[in-house]
Amino acid sequence: MKRLFTRLAALLLIAALALAPATVFATELPFTDVQEGDWFYPYVKELYADGTINGMTATTFVPNGNLTYGQALKLIVCALGYGEQKASPTHWASGYVKFARGKGWFTGNVDPDGEVTRLAFCQIAAKAKELHSQPAENPFKDTSDTSVLALVDAGVINGMSADTFAPDGVLTRAQISKIICTLRTAVDREEEENITKNHTPPEHPLPTEAELKQRGETYYVGASRKDKSLVSLLLDLTGNEKQKTIFIDAGEYDLFAEYMAEVKAGRIAVPADTIGNGTYMEVSGTDKWYNAFVPNNATIYGLGDVTLRFTPAVNEITYGASIVWSPLNIFGSVELYNLNVLVKNCRYALHNDDHNRYPGSTQYYYNCRFEKQFGDTNADGKRLGANSTIGFGINDESVHYFDHCEMYFDGDGNNGVFYGHDASKGNKSAWIYLKDCHIYASDPKNARVIRLQTLSKNVRDRPVYVTVQNCEVNGGLQFNMYYAESIQTFSVVYRGTPAQPISRSNNEGSVNDPYTVKYYP
């Protein structure tokens, strides 16, 4: 794996340099009234660089100008990742006013051109960011408002002096620039304590070969067992529910060639004429699945530098086959260690979609690299394969750990380098932990590097909890609701991972927004 990690380091350096302008404020400010020595300069530059804030004119920012309700609501909405809101003909800020009122951040009517007080801003921002914790003592003699104290406790805003807050005072555009930058990553102290306690991935020690051999059945692939390919062995183990470990000798293995050998031998239910022509989708579906699966209670352990390659040529696979076929498919509780999976012209490098056959399963992936190369274009002008590296259908009460793993897509990865969706047939929560991982696309400009999708329609209180801890991520996080009725929630926690751009999309125009994102140091 050393050569891959060396290559990764170089790619990450390039990606970091490419991303630096967006996150380290390389955009030059056009404002003549904001100078580099001004205390508010870095905050204005950050917000201007990502499009959150604009000037009052093309060349002036007006830092001492008072903040209006319309400006305040736009800043809060955009800072929390909800994006631009469509305006009515009556006022440029009408969309933000309507959105914020609909979210319950305030009630009644407001004048978007009226000045917003410090108290009113705090009351809106605290609701929007769900900040509730109170300081041990109230330092102010002129307010005891819980929203003010919640923002103070979270470090978002300060008083005008040690013991006065000036609740009826106004906020300037310079002040709000710093406040919005801080609000983005603010966390509720009590919730942080709860997250730290309940959402920190447990340590999973790397087992020794001797320990694995004691778990149950033991199998070998490679030089020590030349008569059995990995795909052939997985077919042999179909339906085997016992604990078992598969050791793979160092080397490169052509899984596509192994699959083709099994197809020709009649061990995989795929009509031969669908490979290279025909409509492969006709044999898809769980009842007539065409792939070999890593079965329940299996551990696969790479002995040295192991690469599993699945890279059919453009004339070896149909478009229909390329968008449904994955070389590694997971059933139930599985562990993978020390593997490189290199794929092209297929659906995913790793696919978990067992439709709740094994609720409560636990999956663990350690020191694995999953690389998806950009698909070829066939004679019909269609690009082969899906635009994701890892695809996960999450089961009831299942837990999925990715520890020291790399997930790479050669392209923009606009469907998610890591793509996960809820278990549409289940009704309980699940957990995903991404710890010390590198998740990146070679072209991160429009990448949705992590994409989480809601497929369920029903009203269910079963959030999927996602923790991204100490990871390198070079693109955005996207939430998608497949149906208008979708209300399934994803609760995402970033720990020790820089904030990433957040986008939301609703396939059927749903107004629901059942997602939360929190950042912790």
Side-chain angles (χ1 to χ4, degrees), residues 74 90 130 156 185 256 265 292 297 325 330 334 418 420 433 446 509:
K74 178 193 173 183
T90 58
E130 298 180 3
V156 175
T185 56
F256 183 73
N297 295 321
W325 197 355
I330 306 300
V334 169
F418 181 94
Y433 295 109
N446 298 311

Side-chain angles (χ1 to χ4, degrees), residues 189-206:
R189 176 175 47 78
E190 292 179 358
E191 184 174 350
E192 180 178 11
E193 293 170 355
N194 178 60
I195 290 291
T196 301
K197 180 179 179 181
N198 299 315
H199 290 257
T200 300
E203 291 299 322
H204 191 299
L206 183 65

Side-chain angles (χ1 to χ4, degrees), residues 112-383:
D113 293 321
E115 294 178 351
V116 62
T117 65
R118 288 165 56 83
L119 173 61
F121 174 84
C122 290
Q123 291 172 336
I124 295 171
K127 287 184 179 180
K129 192 64 175 177
E130 298 180 3
L131 299 175
H132 310 286
S133 297
Q134 303 289 290
E137 295 182 1
N138 179 5
F140 306 124
K141 60 186 180 183
D142 56 353
T143 185
S144 59
D145 185 85
T146 55
S147 296
V148 170
L149 297 179
L151 264 64
V152 170
D153 190 69
V156 175
I157 197 169
N158 299 313
M160 296 302 290
S161 70
D163 61 356
T164 61
F165 182 75
D168 296 326
V170 295
L171 290 165
T172 68
R173 288 169 54 81
Q175 291 169 341
I176 198 62
S177 298
K178 179 179 180 180
I179 290 170
I180 289 296
C181 287
T182 309
L183 182 69
R184 277 176 162 171
T185 56
V187 294
D188 187 79
R189 176 175 47 78
E190 292 179 358
E191 184 174 350
E192 180 178 11
E193 293 170 355
N194 178 60
I195 290 291
T196 301
K197 180 179 179 181
N198 299 315
H199 290 257
T200 300
E203 291 299 322
H204 191 299
L206 183 65
T208 65
E209 293 180 43
E211 290 172 335
L212 288 174
K213 290 178 181 178
Q214 295 174 359
R215 289 190 180 182
E217 299 174 348
T218 302
Y219 303 89
Y220 291 87
V221 170
S224 56
R225 188 167 178 167
K226 296 180 180 179
D227 62 330
K228 189 70 67 172
S229 71
L230 176 61
V231 172
S232 178
L233 178 60
L234 293 179
L235 290 172
D236 288 348
L237 295 175
T238 299
N240 184 328
E241 296 287 322
K242 297 179 181 179
Q243 290 287 344
K244 49 199 165 290
T245 301
I246 301 171
F247 292 98
I248 304 180
D249 292 332
E252 182 169 302
Y253 298 82
D254 188 342
L255 295 191
F256 183 73
E258 293 182 14
Y259 269 108
M260 291 302 96
E262 299 301 328
V263 170
K264 292 178 181 178
R267 298 190 69 204
I268 297 180
V270 179
D273 62 358
T274 64
I275 306 300
N277 55 56
T279 305
Y280 195 87
M281 291 290 286
E282 292 178 357
V283 295
S284 68
T286 55
D287 293 333
K288 297 180 180 179
W289 201 264
Y290 39 80
N291 292 329
F293 283 87
V294 179
N296 186 36
N297 295 321
T299 296
I300 300 182
Y301 196 99
L303 299 173
D305 194 349
V306 175
T307 297
L308 306 178
R309 182 168 58 84
F310 187 94
T311 55
V314 68
N315 62 341
E316 292 180 306
I317 191 168
T318 65
Y319 170 76
S322 74
I323 61 174
V324 296
W325 197 355
S326 303
L328 283 184
N329 299 273
I330 306 300
F331 260 17
S333 294
V334 169
E335 298 180 17
L336 302 184
Y337 296 92
N338 307 332
L339 299 177
N340 304 310
V341 184
L342 175 63
V343 302
K344 184 177 183 179
N345 296 336
C346 67
R347 190 175 188 182
Y348 308 123
L350 180 70
H351 183 210
N352 178 78
D353 197 10
D354 63 16
H355 298 284
N356 256 8
R357 288 182 178 84
Y358 294 94
S361 59
T362 299
Q363 298 172 4
Y364 186 75
Y365 307 91
Y366 181 85
N367 196 34
C368 292
R369 185 174 197 273
F370 304 97
E371 177 177 344
K372 180 77 177 291
Q373 297 181 345
F374 198 71
D376 293 321
T377 301
N378 67 10
D380 296 328
K382 296 181 178 179
R383 186 164 65 82

Side-chain angles (χ1 to χ4, degrees), residues 26-166:
T27 302
E28 292 300 321
L29 287 176
F31 309 129
T32 58
D33 53 358
V34 180
Q35 302 301 315
E36 194 165 349
D38 294 331
W39 68 265
F40 49 84
Y41 175 84
Y43 308 112
V44 174
K45 197 163 190 182
E46 175 180 347
L47 297 179
Y48 180 77
D50 62 22
T52 300
I53 203 167
N54 297 310
M56 296 300 289
T57 71
T59 58
T60 60
F61 181 73
V62 191
N64 295 320
N66 292 338
L67 190 71
T68 67
Y69 266 100
Q71 293 167 348
L73 293 174
K74 178 193 173 183
L75 289 171
I76 294 173
V77 169
C78 293
L80 299 187
Y82 294 105
E84 294 186 7
Q85 303 298 312
K86 185 177 180 180
S88 68
T90 58
H91 197 281
W92 69 266
S94 58
Y96 300 101
V97 174
K98 180 180 178 181
F99 180 85
R101 185 188 294 112
K103 298 287 287 183
W105 297 350
F106 71 91
T107 58
N109 298 314
V110 298
D111 177 6
D113 293 321
E115 294 178 351
V116 62
T117 65
R118 288 165 56 83
L119 173 61
F121 174 84
C122 290
Q123 291 172 336
I124 295 171
K127 287 184 179 180
K129 192 64 175 177
E130 298 180 3
L131 299 175
H132 310 286
S133 297
Q134 303 289 290
E137 295 182 1
N138 179 5
F140 306 124
K141 60 186 180 183
D142 56 353
T143 185
S144 59
D145 185 85
T146 55
S147 296
V148 170
L149 297 179
L151 264 64
V152 170
D153 190 69
V156 175
I157 197 169
N158 299 313
M160 296 302 290
S161 70
D163 61 356
T164 61
F165 182 75

